[in-house]
Each structure stands twice: as C-alpha cells, then as structure tokens.
Amino acid sequence: LAGHRQEVCGLRWSPDNVTLASGGNDNKLLIWNAATHKQQWRLTKHRAAVKALAWSPHQHGLLASGGGTADQCIRFWNATTGAHVRSVDTGSQVCNVAWSRSSNELVSTHGYSLNQVIVWRYPDMSKVATLTSHTSRVLYMALSPDGCTVVTGAGDETLRFWNVFPPPRHKAARAGPSLLVPAGLDIR
C-alpha cells in the first residue's frame, strides 16, 4: 500500500480487522480498507507526525490519533465517514494513545515538553489523572492483559506501572493489588 510521502510511524488495525489506520511523518492519517487494499480516507488536520493511534472498543469506527510536537493534539475521527469528530490540545507531543476496555476512557503518553501520562474521560475529554514520574519522553506504552494496568517506558531509562483503568464489569472486584503494580500507584 502506498500513500504516505514520508516514513510510516504508526499502524493500528480496527477491532473488527476490516480497517487499517496508518500515520506518517508527512502529518497524514490514512484509513485503508483491508479487503480491497484501497485508501478510504486521507485525513490532514494534524500539523506534525502521527504516531499514536487507537480504535475505540466502545464505538464502531471511532479512531483516536495523536500528533507530534508541532501539533500536540489528540484528534477523534469517524473512520466510516472520514469526519473529524473533535480534538483536544494536550500541550505536548502525543507519543501513544490506548482505550480502556471497560470504560469510555483513554490514556495518552507525552513527550516534549511535559513527559506525562494522562488518563482522559471520553467524550468530554476531562482529565481523570495526570501522572508525572517520568523525566523524559514517554515513548512506549503497553496495556496489561486484564486491561487495568499500563506500563510506560521513557527516555529516562525507566519502566513505570500504572493501575489506570477499572476492571471489566463482568468480573468481580480484583483480589487486592496487582503483583505488577506496587501499592500506592492506583489512580482510583
């Protein structure tokens, strides 16, 4: 698939594996149809590289994308129609975004200049928590298998574990603190 004019720096499949989102250093977000291998949408509102991509598990076709240092926005798109739904200026480079599986919330990691991890409530994009232990760009993020814990890796050569999302509704309350997350790092 050819569509970007500079390096591809973000890729994410939709939950139903029908659509692929690609972000590039050309500041473009492209939406691809997996069956036809054709570009559906070329989205051009970002003003910097688009690395951070995440599909909502709660609303079909809702895609979050994050822009680099010159953009600093998380943008939301209806990937079915190509419509820009909304955006929020985060005040710093957006490195990663991920949705909660159990609540309509997402977490973002940031680089220059704030080096933060932020938990947001969607759709109003109010901040649930701002986590500031990293001293350098928060370049990497992974969600635990249970969907409650996020681990972040930064240029400060540290990994940090954060209990940011509630457990899935179908499960009983968790049995005490996670072995991965030391007591005191829960945000709820």
Side-chain angles (χ1 to χ4, degrees), residues 129-188:
T130 301
L131 310 168
T132 58
S133 293
H134 284 295
T135 60
S136 186
R137 287 192 305 164
V138 188
L139 296 168
Y140 303 101
M141 176 172 64
L143 194 59
S144 66
D146 70 0
C148 298
T149 303
V150 169
V151 61
T152 55
D156 61 11
E157 302 176 0
T158 65
L159 297 176
R160 302 208 186 265
F161 293 82
W162 314 93
N163 188 16
V164 295
F165 294 133
R169 289 184 187 106
H170 66 278
K171 285 187 176 180
R174 284 193 314 182
S178 167
L179 294 176
L180 295 176
V181 182
L185 294 180
D186 289 357
I187 66 163
R188 300 188 193 270

Side-chain angles (χ1 to χ4, degrees), residues 81-105:
T81 65
H84 183 247
V85 176
R86 70 164 302 148
S87 67
V88 62
D89 187 337
T90 68
S92 63
Q93 171 190 38
V94 182
C95 298
N96 299 279
V97 290
W99 288 89
S100 168
R101 293 183 202 135
S102 60
S103 62
N104 209 15
E105 296 175 341

Side-chain angles (χ1 to χ4, degrees), residues 5-22:
R5 290 177 174 54
Q6 292 184 26
E7 295 88 355
V8 173
C9 56
L11 288 172
R12 189 74 60 203
W13 283 105
S14 62
D16 61 7
N17 295 319
V18 171
T19 309
L20 177 68
S22 64

Side-chain angles (χ1 to χ4, degrees), residues 3-109:
H4 288 284
R5 290 177 174 54
Q6 292 184 26
E7 295 88 355
V8 173
C9 56
L11 288 172
R12 189 74 60 203
W13 283 105
S14 62
D16 61 7
N17 295 319
V18 171
T19 309
L20 177 68
S22 64
N25 281 343
D26 57 3
N27 308 345
K28 305 298 183 272
L29 171 59
L30 305 183
I31 307 297
W32 303 90
N33 180 300
T36 64
H37 299 143
K38 302 251 188 238
Q39 182 179 295
Q40 289 180 297
W41 305 108
R42 182 177 190 81
L43 307 172
T44 60
K45 290 203 179 278
H46 282 291
R47 297 183 317 268
V50 183
K51 177 180 178 258
L53 299 169
W55 294 90
S56 171
H58 310 291
Q59 185 175 336
H60 178 77
L62 180 62
L63 176 66
S65 61
T69 305
D71 184 70
Q72 302 182 354
C73 289
I74 299 174
R75 297 183 184 277
F76 297 89
W77 309 88
N78 178 331
T80 304
T81 65
H84 183 247
V85 176
R86 70 164 302 148
S87 67
V88 62
D89 187 337
T90 68
S92 63
Q93 171 190 38
V94 182
C95 298
N96 299 279
V97 290
W99 288 89
S100 168
R101 293 183 202 135
S102 60
S103 62
N104 209 15
E105 296 175 341
L106 63 155
V107 61
S108 58
T109 71

